[in-house]
């Protein structure tokens, strides 16, 4: 047990030789009670972090205590399997190498020196402690001292610390020739003092090499700094290594002596510790493993790569999660304990800079962004521009601000300083900042963040500026726009702005909460100032109600907005056309086309009756010609769907791609979701399963975000996803999509719900739930009959019902339905509809008729227009030939079907094709997860080079083959992958790297639908 604590002598030290004698006459009895660790470590009061150890002296009057916070950090990291030292000194390999070279140089007889310089939290003190450990491992004597701002007035304080280590180590500190007159002429006593201390160091180093570490050199008292400079200029002649650390930006005790000290050190020994690079910080986060909360990129960006700030953020996260505060903190009291310690450390640094440093830092945390400048900060802090500039320069020098942009280098520090300001004072500062920026004509984007947090909006321009900003943000950034609107409402709505605020709130809710926008739109109808404005708002409300599956309410709204006699025929025609579109959507009106234009009415009648695809195609082209029909309007979508049903996929693709681009540019959620849903339907018709699924998922996600995924285009997106799951054989994970209920009698059904019911019926039939499938497809039959739609291209319910009846054993009914659909498709004249009907007829016909029907489908279809249906036709034909014994012809057709189906990712069809190919004596290619499996080794090599941007000539020169050979390989690649050029090669070749295996879940039976026992 150590003895009682004994205070060290506190005799004032004079700048003469008596100070040397005082050092030598230290009472051994006092030293005997000091712990031995005083010579190698420093004492730090509770709550002070390792890298802030400079604020406290190492010659404390009490025994050494554990480093509480640092030990908690080390144990916390060690418990997670991470060595503490490696975390504190992460990415400092260059500094390690230089320090080890210096230590080895001292062992060889040559002294060295280095200065470790850096901003807060870069690990300067930790690097000195690491150096001490390395020196002890080499058998060196370690003398360490730590300077503090509070001890600058004590002369020779750092020298006293260093020579106390000599006394504790049992090394004699008396220089040779003590007491004799060694100087013939009078010499300055201060020089004799420095010389005698140097001789003590030199004599000791002859027996054992010495490492001298001085932490926080900028806080060293003047006399000690003078001696350290004296030692530094002679250090190469003795076996001593001097390591000093300096925190950048802090004022020194004697700036001239410090500059002289720094200039005496070799430039390559100035070790500048900077924040970690993003890659090194990412490795540090990865090393922490599972204890890292949230995305690593966010943590790294907040800390700016500072290792101390990054580690403290990670360790503070569990307490924040347990408290449930998350990011809702609004004051310093809400911060976790570790982040409060970081804040206190930063505040301590700022108070040491100058009297205005803390005030300027607080104001800078409020201003932020690109608006930071000395003039603005001076006005907020009641300082002159010169004083504000000087304070900002000091903040930049010490690493708080970036030197050029004056932005905070570490966003977490900006937030900690912001939380340190009382909430009421923050609101006042924000209001003052907004007024200053407005007077200086800054952009509204720089002013509005301050107005949102301002104490009051007491000037008219403030509310108007927020409303203007909200209007500019819509529809792209609706959450921020809503925040601006709520701020204006919270401070009191001006009477003249009530209607405008209500309009902006409606537009915002349309992008955030579609059901929630309905009450706001009803309230806005009462604020309409004229019939024109009332009609526009009624049309918007009706569209919203349609998207929410409430057509009857939509018709009621439009009927209540009938135009007056003085409004003209145009307004009446628009209202009538809108009512007709609503009636067509839910099928409630038999005379729906009555309110439409004549061209649109004729087009819809031809499509519904299935008279002539070529005539309907011409009418659709006329309707789509601008400016007759605006992009994205209901009439435009009817014409586009007509092109799809007529089989003009290329023209429909160009139109829908243009609409998607326009919707993305506008940013409206509903418009973009509708465009992507219809494009997914087109992709499905073309057999592009991956693209169809991607667009449908994006549309459904966007609609779900605003609460409109269960109606209107949400039903179409779900329908496409079900069809994709059927073709990819992924129905096991589509259970939620298949939950489709048949509406009760008399309840209107939206048009796209019929598509959803039909897709669900197909999927349920494949799964063996034929009874449920039959109910859904019968409902589709009744609804389409009520609407007067007989065209099989619109919804092929007859083919689906025929396959279901065949699975139930009712072959006569199945053949009747399939034959009826084939006759109607022939009348319509679109190859896609005819091929689909012929395949359904072949599936339920006698074996002898199958080859003839399947060959007709193959002849009608084009592999470029409808590849999936073409592959299904090839399979049906090949399978029929295989059953009839013509295996050679069967293998030829099945090989081609295998190539196309693999390129499309139609896993269900691939299983059927490869099984039939094996039965016919063929050997299908080994199945891979991407279409690259279709290519030979040479084709794959050429395709990869071409996808990287190399020309045919360069590829031929590289592979040392002819140019014609390269062109032939690429032609085969285009044919097998079903692409039109080298620009699409990367889509297939990149899939191989990320592939994790086959996506097959289960094969389908050859018949397509079979009766299975119904689940209980």
């Amino acid at each position: 047990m150590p003895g009682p604590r004994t205070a060290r002598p506190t005799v004032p030290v004079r700048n003469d030789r008596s100070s040397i004698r005082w050092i030598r006459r230290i009472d051994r009895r006092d030293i005997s009670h000091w712990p031995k660790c005083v010579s190698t470590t420093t004492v730090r009061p509770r709550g002070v972090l390792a890298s802030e150890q400079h604020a406290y002296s190492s010659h404390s009057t009490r025994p050494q205590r554990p480093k509480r916070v640092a030990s908690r950090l080390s144990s916390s990291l060690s418990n997670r399997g991470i060595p503490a030292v490696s975390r504190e000194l992460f990415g400092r390999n260059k500094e390690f190498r230089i320090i080890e070279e210096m230590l080895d140089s001292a062992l060889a007889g040559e002294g060295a020196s280095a200065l470790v310089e850096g901003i807060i939290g870069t690990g300067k003190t930790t690097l000195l402690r690491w150096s001490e450990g390395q020196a002890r491992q080499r058998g060196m004597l370690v003398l360490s001292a730590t300077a503090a701002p509070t001890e600058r007035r004590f002369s020779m304080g750092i020298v006293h610390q260093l020579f106390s280590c000599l006394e504790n180590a049992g090394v004699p500190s008396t220089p040779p020739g003590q007491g004799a007159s060694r100087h013939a002429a009078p010499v300055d006593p201060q020089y004799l003092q420095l010389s005698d201390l140097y001789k003590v160091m030199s004599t000791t180093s002859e027996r054992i090499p010495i490492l001298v570490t001085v932490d926080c050199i900028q806080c060293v008292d003047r006399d000690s700094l003078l001696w350290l400079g004296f030692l530094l200029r002679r250090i190469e002649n003795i076996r001593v290594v001097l390591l000093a650390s300096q925190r950048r930006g802090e004022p020194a005790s004697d700036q001239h002596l410090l500059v002289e000290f720094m200039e005496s050190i070799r430039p390559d020994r100035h070790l500048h510790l900077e924040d970690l690079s993003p890659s090194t910080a990412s490795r540090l986060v990865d090393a922490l493993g599972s204890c890292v909360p949230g995305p690593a990129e966010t943590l790294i960006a907040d800390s700016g790569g500072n290792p101390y700030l990054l580690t403290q953020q990670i360790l503070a996260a569990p307490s924040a999660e347990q408290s449930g505060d998350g990011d809702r903190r609004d004051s310093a009291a809400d911060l976790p304990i570790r982040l409060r310690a970081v804040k206190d450390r930063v505040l301590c640094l700022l108070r040491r800079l100058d009297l205005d440093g803390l005030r300027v830092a607080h104001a800078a945390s409020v201003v932020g962004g690109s608006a930071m400048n000395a003039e603005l900060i001076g006005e907020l802090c009641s300082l002159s521009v010169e004083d504000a500039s000087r304070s900002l320069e000091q903040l930049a020098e010490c690493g708080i601000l970036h030197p050029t942009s004056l932005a905070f280098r570490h966003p977490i520090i900006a937030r900690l300083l912001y939380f340190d300001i009382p909430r009421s004072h923050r609101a006042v500062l924000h209001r003052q900042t907004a007024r200053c920026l407005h007077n200086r004509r800054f952009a509204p984007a720089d002013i509005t963040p301050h107005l949102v947090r301002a104490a009051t909006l007491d000037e008219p321009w403030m509310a108007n500026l927020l409303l203007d900003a909200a209007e500019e943000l819509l529809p792209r950034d609706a959450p921020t726009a809503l925040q601006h609107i709520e701020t204006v409402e919270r401070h009191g709505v001006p009477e003249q702005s009530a209607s405008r605020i209500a309009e902006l709130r409606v537009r915002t809710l349309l992008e955030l909460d579609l059901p929630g926008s309905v009450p706001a739109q009803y309230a806005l109808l009462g604020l309409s100032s004229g019939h024109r404005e009332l009609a526009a708002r009624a049309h918007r409300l009706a569209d919203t109600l349609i998207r929410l599956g409430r057509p009857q309410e939509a018709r009621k709204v439009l009927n209540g907005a009938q135009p007056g006699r003085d409004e003209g025929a145009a307004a009446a025609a628009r209202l009538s056309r809108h009512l007709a579109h609503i009636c067509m959507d839910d099928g409630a009106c038999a005379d729906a086309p009555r309110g439409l234009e004549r061209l649109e009415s004729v087009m819809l009648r031809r499509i519904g009756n299935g008279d002539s695809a070529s005539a309907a195609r011409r009418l659709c082209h006329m309707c789509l010609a601008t400016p007759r029909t605006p992009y994205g309007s209901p009439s435009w979508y009817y014409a586009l769907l007509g092109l799809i049903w007529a089989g003009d996929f290329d023209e429909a693709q160009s139109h829908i791609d243009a609409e998607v681009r326009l919707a993305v540019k506008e940013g409206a959620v509903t418009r973009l979701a509708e465009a992507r849903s219809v494009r997914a339907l087109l992709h499905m018709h073309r057999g592009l399963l991956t693209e169809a699924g991607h667009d449908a998922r994006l549309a459904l996600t966007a609609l779900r975000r605003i609460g409109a995924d269960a109606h209107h285009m949400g039903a179409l997106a779900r329908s496409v996803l079900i069809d994709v799951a059927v073709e990819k054989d992924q129905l096991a994970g589509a259970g939620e999509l298949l939950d489709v209920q048949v509406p009760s009698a008399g309840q209107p059904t939206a048009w796209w719900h019929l598509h959803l019911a039909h897709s669900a019926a197909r999927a349920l039939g494949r799964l063996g739930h034929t009874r449920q499938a039959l109910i859904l497809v019968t409902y589709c039959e009744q609804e389409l009959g009520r609407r007067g739609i007989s065209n099989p291209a619109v919804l092929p319910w007859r083919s689906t019902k025929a396959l279901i009846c065949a699975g139930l054993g009712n072959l006569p009914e199945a053949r009747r339905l399939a034959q009826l659909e084939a006759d109607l498709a022939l009348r319509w004249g679109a190859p896609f509809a005819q091929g689909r009907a012929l395949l359904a007829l072949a599936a339920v016909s006698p074996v002898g008729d199958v080859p003839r029907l399947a060959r007709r489908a193959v002849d009608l279809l084009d592999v470029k227009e409808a590849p999936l249906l073409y592959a299904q036709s090839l399979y049906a034909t090949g399978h029929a030939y295989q059953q009839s014994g013509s295996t050679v012809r069967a293998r030829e057709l099945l090989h081609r079907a295998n190539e196309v189906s693999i390129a499309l990712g139609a896993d269900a069809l691939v299983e059927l094709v490869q099984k039939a190919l094996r039965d016919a004596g063929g050997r299908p290619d080994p199945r891979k997860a991407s279409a690259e499996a279709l290519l030979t080794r040479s084709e794959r090599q050429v395709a990869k080079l071409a996808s990287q941007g190399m020309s045919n000539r360069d590829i031929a020169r590289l592979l040392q083959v002819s140019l014609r050979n390269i062109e032939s390989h690429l032609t085969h690649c285009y044919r097998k992958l079903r692409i039109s050029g080298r620009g699409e090669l990367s889509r297939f070749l990149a899939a191989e790297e990320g592939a994790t295996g086959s996506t097959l879940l289960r094969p389908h039976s050859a018949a397509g639908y079979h009766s299975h026992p119904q689940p209980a």
Side-chain angles (χ1 to χ4, degrees):
M1 297 292 292
R5 300 176 182 173
T6 305
R8 295 191 179 188
T10 58
V11 179
V13 180
R14 298 184 303 275
N15 291 331
D16 54 19
R17 300 190 63 176
S18 62
S19 62
I20 305 294
R21 291 192 294 272
W22 177 79
I23 292 175
R24 296 173 186 154
R25 293 172 184 171
I26 295 176
D27 192 348
R28 294 279 182 169
R29 291 173 299 178
D30 294 338
I31 298 177
S32 63
H33 294 295
W34 298 352
K36 293 297 181 182
C37 58
V38 169
S39 62
T40 58
T41 58
T42 55
V43 178
R44 183 176 66 258
R46 180 184 307 179
V48 179
L49 299 174
S51 52
E52 198 179 5
Q53 192 173 348
H54 67 274
Y56 301 91
S57 173
S58 67
H59 54 280
S60 174
T61 60
R62 62 181 180 181
Q64 176 73 24
R65 287 192 176 185
K67 302 180 181 180
R68 296 180 180 273
V69 177
S71 63
R72 290 199 298 269
L73 173 62
S74 302
S75 61
S76 181
L77 292 172
S78 300
N79 292 338
R80 295 165 180 169
I82 303 168
V85 173
S86 64
R87 299 286 70 77
E88 296 171 0
L89 300 176
F90 206 88
R92 305 302 184 194
N93 296 330
K94 177 183 177 182
E95 289 77 11
F96 291 165
R97 185 175 64 255
I98 293 175
I99 293 175
E100 288 175 343
E101 291 175 356
M102 293 168 55
L103 297 177
D104 295 338
S105 174
L107 293 174
E110 182 179 358
S113 60
L115 178 65
V116 181
E117 185 179 7
I119 62 175
I120 182 174
T122 50
K124 302 176 294 298
T125 302
T126 307
L127 186 60
L128 294 186
R129 301 290 86 84
W130 177 87
S131 304
E132 294 169 4
Q134 294 296 311
R136 293 191 194 93
Q137 292 179 9
R138 289 168 168 79
M140 299 176 65
L141 176 64
V142 176
L143 308 180
S144 65
T146 299
T150 56
E151 299 179 3
R152 290 177 177 177
R153 62 190 180 90
F154 298 125
S155 176
M156 301 296 284
I158 295 301
V159 176
H160 177 76
Q161 291 187 52
L162 295 174
F163 278 82
S164 296
C165 298
L166 279 179
E167 296 287 346
N168 292 340
V171 179
S173 59
T174 304
Q178 174 66 27
S181 178
R182 304 181 307 269
H183 303 284
V187 181
D188 187 348
Q190 189 173 14
Y191 179 83
L192 293 179
Q193 175 190 13
L194 301 179
S195 178
D196 286 346
L197 291 173
Y198 171 76
K199 288 179 180 179
V200 172
M201 191 69 65
S202 175
T203 303
T204 306
S205 66
E206 291 176 0
R207 286 178 284 176
I208 179 172
I210 302 175
L211 169 66
V212 178
T213 62
V214 180
D215 198 8
C216 295
I217 191 71
Q218 75 277 0
C219 298
V220 173
D221 60 275
R222 183 186 183 281
D223 296 326
S224 296
L225 187 58
L226 184 64
W227 179 78
L228 289 174
F230 187 91
L231 172 65
L232 180 60
R233 287 185 290 275
R234 297 160 178 79
I235 200 169
E236 294 183 356
N237 302 322
I238 58 178
R239 298 198 299 169
V240 175
V241 174
L242 174 60
L243 281 180
S245 70
Q246 179 193 13
R247 177 177 292 170
R248 205 164 62 200
E250 285 197 25
S253 303
D254 192 313
Q255 189 65 32
H256 296 290
L257 285 178
L258 181 60
V259 171
E260 183 180 351
F261 177 86
M262 296 172 62
E263 290 178 348
S264 301
I265 299 177
R266 287 166 42 181
D268 61 325
R269 297 288 171 80
H270 281 260
L271 308 182
H272 299 279
L273 299 187
E274 303 292 345
D275 291 330
L276 302 179
S277 64
S279 59
T280 306
S282 179
R283 293 200 304 272
L284 172 58
V285 174
D286 292 340
L288 291 171
S290 60
C291 59
V292 178
E297 294 79 7
T298 303
L299 292 173
I300 295 172
D302 279 350
S303 64
N306 189 284
Y308 167 68
L309 297 176
L310 180 59
T311 305
Q312 292 301 312
Q313 274 189 286
I314 293 173
L315 296 180
S319 60
E321 293 173 0
Q322 293 171 5
S323 64
D325 294 337
D327 293 331
R328 296 187 296 272
R329 308 183 190 102
D330 198 31
S331 65
D334 298 330
L335 295 171
I337 295 178
R338 290 188 179 276
L339 293 184
R340 269 183 268 170
V342 174
K343 177 183 69 68
D344 294 339
R345 178 179 173 185
V346 174
L347 294 178
C348 181
L349 168 65
L350 294 175
R351 292 189 182 100
R352 288 199 298 267
L353 293 180
D354 60 22
L355 296 177
D356 302 321
L358 184 56
R359 277 198 303 156
V360 170
H362 279 154
S365 69
V366 172
V367 175
S370 60
M372 182 86 69
N373 59 71
E375 186 179 357
L376 176 60
I377 295 298
E379 187 169 347
L380 291 178
C381 299
S382 301
L383 298 174
S384 65
V385 177
E386 293 76 10
D387 292 341
S389 298
R390 185 179 62 254
S391 296
L392 290 174
E393 289 175 1
Q394 289 181 342
L395 291 176
E397 180 65 24
C398 69
I400 300 296
L401 301 180
H402 195 276
T404 56
S405 64
L406 296 181
F408 279 88
R409 295 182 58 169
H410 314 98
I412 181 63
I413 291 182
R415 289 203 300 273
L416 294 176
L417 289 172
Y418 184 79
F419 291 147
D420 187 60
I421 308 172
R423 189 177 306 175
S424 58
H425 187 48
R426 281 201 310 246
V428 173
L429 284 176
H430 278 298
R431 179 175 168 275
Q432 293 176 355
T433 304
R435 181 184 288 109
C436 293
L437 294 178
H438 181 259
N439 294 336
R440 290 171 173 79
R441 307 218 177 259
F442 272 75
D446 295 324
I447 304 175
T448 51
H450 300 287
L451 289 177
V452 171
R453 299 173 176 86
T456 57
L457 301 180
D458 53 353
E459 299 183 27
W461 64 266
M462 294 182 174
N464 292 331
L465 184 64
L466 278 176
L467 295 180
D468 292 341
E471 194 165 3
E472 291 179 2
L473 290 171
L474 289 172
R476 192 167 299 278
D477 191 0
T480 306
L482 182 61
Q483 185 184 24
H484 293 350
I485 296 169
E486 291 176 345
T487 301
V488 176
E489 292 176 340
R490 187 169 60 251
H491 291 281
V493 178
E495 185 177 353
Q496 64 273 16
S497 302
S499 179
R500 184 186 181 191
I501 292 176
E503 172 68 23
L504 289 175
R505 174 172 284 277
V506 167
R507 291 175 55 190
T508 304
L509 292 176
L510 287 174
E511 306 300 323
L512 297 176
D513 182 11
L514 202 62
S517 71
V518 174
Q521 291 190 65
Y522 272 117
L524 186 60
L525 289 178
L527 298 177
S528 302
S529 57
H531 191 276
R532 186 184 300 274
E533 189 178 69
L534 175 64
R537 292 172 176 175
H539 283 289
R540 183 175 60 189
L541 176 56
D543 288 337
T544 303
L545 294 172
I546 284 294
R547 292 187 175 99
L548 295 175
R550 296 151 67 176
Q552 295 177 345
E553 192 174 345
R555 284 196 296 272
K556 184 178 179 181
V557 169
L558 290 178
N559 288 329
Q562 291 289 344
R565 296 181 179 180
D566 56 341
E567 296 296 329
R574 183 186 175 201
L575 180 64
S576 178
R577 186 164 59 251
H578 202 161
L579 285 170
H581 289 154
I582 294 175
C583 292
M584 291 179 60
D585 183 72
D586 65 355
C589 305
D591 55 347
R594 179 177 300 174
L596 303 177
E597 293 183 356
R598 177 175 176 78
L599 179 63
E600 184 180 1
S601 179
V602 173
M603 178 192 70
L604 292 175
R605 283 197 180 96
R606 281 193 175 274
I607 293 174
N609 296 332
D611 291 337
S612 172
S614 58
R617 191 182 301 117
R618 288 192 298 271
L619 293 172
C620 292
H621 282 299
M622 295 173 63
C623 287
L624 289 172
T626 55
R628 176 185 292 274
T629 307
Y631 267 85
S633 63
S635 300
W636 185 87
Y637 271 114
Y638 287 138
L640 181 73
L641 291 170
L643 285 182
I644 296 175
W645 294 327
D648 195 352
F649 295 154
D650 289 337
E651 184 70 18
Q653 188 77 56
S654 65
H655 283 289
I656 193 60
D657 287 343
E659 168 62 12
V660 170
R661 288 192 296 269
L662 292 173
V664 169
K665 185 177 180 179
E666 178 184 316
V669 176
T670 52
R671 181 177 180 181
L672 183 57
E674 290 174 0
R676 280 179 169 155
S677 297
V678 175
R679 189 168 70 172
L681 178 66
L682 175 58
H683 286 324
M684 195 66 222
H685 277 72
R686 305 195 74 164
L688 306 177
L689 302 180
T690 303
E691 291 82 352
H694 177 69
D695 274 336
R697 278 189 293 272
L698 288 178
L700 195 60
T701 301
L703 293 173
R704 184 177 291 118
R705 191 169 62 247
I706 63 173
D709 58 306
H711 310 284
H712 200 50
M713 287 296 178
L716 175 58
R718 292 173 60 192
S719 170
V720 173
L721 287 176
I722 292 174
D723 291 339
V724 171
V726 168
E727 302 300 340
K728 284 183 169 289
D729 199 11
Q730 296 175 347
L731 288 174
E736 182 181 354
L737 296 173
L738 299 179
D739 186 14
V740 180
Q741 303 295 329
V742 175
S744 57
Q747 182 178 356
T749 303
W751 169 252
W752 295 117
H753 272 273
L754 295 179
H755 278 258
L756 177 60
H758 178 261
S759 298
R762 290 184 62 222
L764 291 171
R766 289 287 180 90
L767 291 173
H769 306 299
T770 50
R771 298 293 180 186
Q772 300 176 31
L774 186 61
I775 293 174
L776 290 175
V777 78
T778 303
Y779 173 73
C780 293
E781 175 186 2
Q782 296 171 354
E783 277 296 312
L784 289 173
R786 187 172 64 84
R787 295 167 185 258
I789 298 176
S790 59
N791 190 346
V794 175
L795 205 64
W797 64 268
R798 298 176 186 84
S799 297
T800 304
K801 190 173 182 180
L803 295 175
I804 294 174
C805 290
L808 293 172
N810 191 356
L811 284 177
E813 179 64 14
R815 290 169 182 168
R816 184 190 71 81
L817 291 171
Q819 185 62 54
L820 177 59
E821 175 145 329
D823 295 339
L824 292 174
L826 180 63
R827 174 189 169 192
W828 173 239
F832 183 87
Q834 293 184 64
R836 184 168 57 188
L838 288 172
L839 284 180
L841 182 59
V844 299
S845 296
V847 177
D849 296 338
V850 174
R852 173 180 57 84
L853 297 172
R855 279 199 306 270
R856 284 179 55 192
V858 172
D859 295 338
L860 282 170
L861 295 171
D862 184 0
V863 67
K864 294 183 179 180
E865 287 290 329
L868 181 59
L869 199 59
Y870 179 75
Q872 292 171 347
S873 303
L874 289 174
Y875 161 70
T877 308
H879 186 60
Y881 276 120
Q882 183 262 332
Q883 288 184 329
S884 63
S886 302
T887 56
V888 176
R889 178 59 176 162
R891 286 197 297 269
E892 179 183 350
L893 295 169
L894 292 173
H895 271 299
R896 179 63 178 140
N898 188 47
E899 289 182 1
V900 177
S901 56
I902 289 179
L904 297 174
D907 295 338
L909 182 59
V910 169
E911 284 292 306
L912 299 177
V913 170
Q914 292 191 355
K915 181 179 182 302
L917 189 56
R918 293 188 189 95
D919 294 341
R923 297 176 59 186
D925 295 334
R927 182 71 198 284
K928 293 186 179 181
S930 72
E932 192 179 350
L934 300 175
L935 308 180
T936 65
R937 178 177 172 274
S938 300
E939 292 169 351
R940 189 158 49 245
Q941 185 180 21
V942 171
K944 285 184 177 180
L945 294 174
S947 67
Q948 296 170 4
M950 294 184 64
S951 64
N952 291 358
R953 192 173 301 277
D954 292 337
I955 298 174
R957 187 181 300 112
L958 177 65
L959 300 181
Q960 298 181 352
V961 296
S962 66
L963 184 61
R964 178 170 295 183
N965 188 293
I966 299 300
E967 294 172 349
S968 176
H969 281 321
L970 288 176
T971 301
H972 293 158
C973 292
Y974 301 158
R975 179 182 60 83
K976 292 180 179 180
L977 298 178
R978 297 203 61 264
I979 57 179
S980 57
R982 65 201 308 132
E984 302 179 61
L985 284 172
S986 58
R987 178 163 57 95
F988 294 96
L989 299 175
E992 182 68 17
E993 298 178 1
T996 57
S998 174
T999 58
L1000 291 177
L1001 297 176
R1002 66 168 71 97
H1004 286 302
S1005 56
Y1009 295 92
H1010 285 282
S1011 179
H1012 293 280
Q1014 300 294 320

